[in-house]
Amino acid sequence: VEVTGDLTVPYRETCDSYVRSMRFEPKAGEHGVFTVRDELTAKSEDYIKQFHLHCQTEPVMLGERQFVIENGGGKLVCTVLEPADCTIERIGGEGNEFSLNGVNHPRNEKSLHNTENPNRNHEDEGGWGRITITANAKTKTDRFLVRMELCDR
């Protein structure tokens, strides 16, 4: 099963085109493989293109292009297939659970409807932080391809 969406409108100030494709293959790997592919064409080659994967627990690097996220009784083994030239960073921990550009944005106490957030104070709705994959090449178009295999612990 694959779904593709055009995300250009929310990024129109920085990108001429942004398309995301997601595919789930339930019979691949141990318990299925989820793959996310982004293709971005920026208005300027100086625009820094990144792929973020939010994590509830601290991910462990398994090599230069692979990491694992464990939570509950399972784990997600993630492999960065594209871009070839990238930097993978773990950003999180206390005070950085929801950080973006150096500013932590803690979970809202109110819901979108300005009432008490039903997820407030639930450990499972928190987060450790995120993995950020940054394309290093100075190009207008970059592709991100991340393969995530669902596994037992």
Side-chain angles (χ1 to χ4, degrees):
V1 174
E2 182 167 322
V3 63
T4 299
D6 187 341
L7 302 173
T8 305
V9 171
Y11 294 92
R12 67 180 168 262
E13 292 183 19
T14 55
C15 294
D16 290 327
S17 174
Y18 183 172
V19 176
R20 170 168 282 179
S21 297
M22 298 177 289
R23 171 184 286 256
F24 181 64
E25 300 170 81
K27 295 185 179 178
E30 192 175 320
H31 294 291
V33 172
F34 184 68
T35 305
V36 179
R37 179 188 184 99
D38 286 356
E39 184 169 322
L40 294 88
T41 299
K43 293 184 181 290
S44 165
E45 66 183 24
D46 292 325
Y47 180 67
I48 298 169
K49 292 170 281 314
Q50 295 180 319
F51 180 99
H52 302 280
L53 181 60
H54 295 269
C55 311
Q56 290 186 333
T57 60
E58 184 173 1
V60 174
M61 297 301 296
L62 299 178
E64 289 184 28
R65 302 184 70 82
Q66 194 172 57
F67 54 93
V68 64
I69 303 165
E70 294 189 39
N71 195 21
K75 64 182 176 181
L76 197 60
V77 178
C78 304
T79 306
V80 179
L81 302 170
E82 292 186 60
D85 183 13
C86 67
T87 301
I88 302 171
E89 293 180 273
R90 297 177 313 148
I91 300 169
E94 191 172 330
N96 284 305
E97 298 91 339
F98 305 97
S99 94
L100 181 63
N101 297 325
V103 177
N104 196 34
H105 300 273
R107 180 181 33 224
N108 291 329
E109 296 296 317
K110 300 282 186 181
S111 73
L112 292 174
H113 305 289
N114 206 27
T115 59
E116 185 173 327
N117 187 336
N119 296 320
R120 184 176 170 208
N121 297 324
H122 290 275
E123 291 286 327
D124 60 342
E125 292 295 329
W128 172 85
R130 72 175 186 275
I131 289 279
T132 297
I133 303 161
T134 304
N136 292 331
K138 285 227 172 203
T139 60
K140 285 184 85 175
T141 300
D142 276 295
R143 290 174 192 85
F144 293 86
L145 181 60
V146 180
R147 180 183 190 274
M148 297 170 250
E149 182 178 350
L150 291 79
C151 302
D152 290 329
R153 264 201 168 168

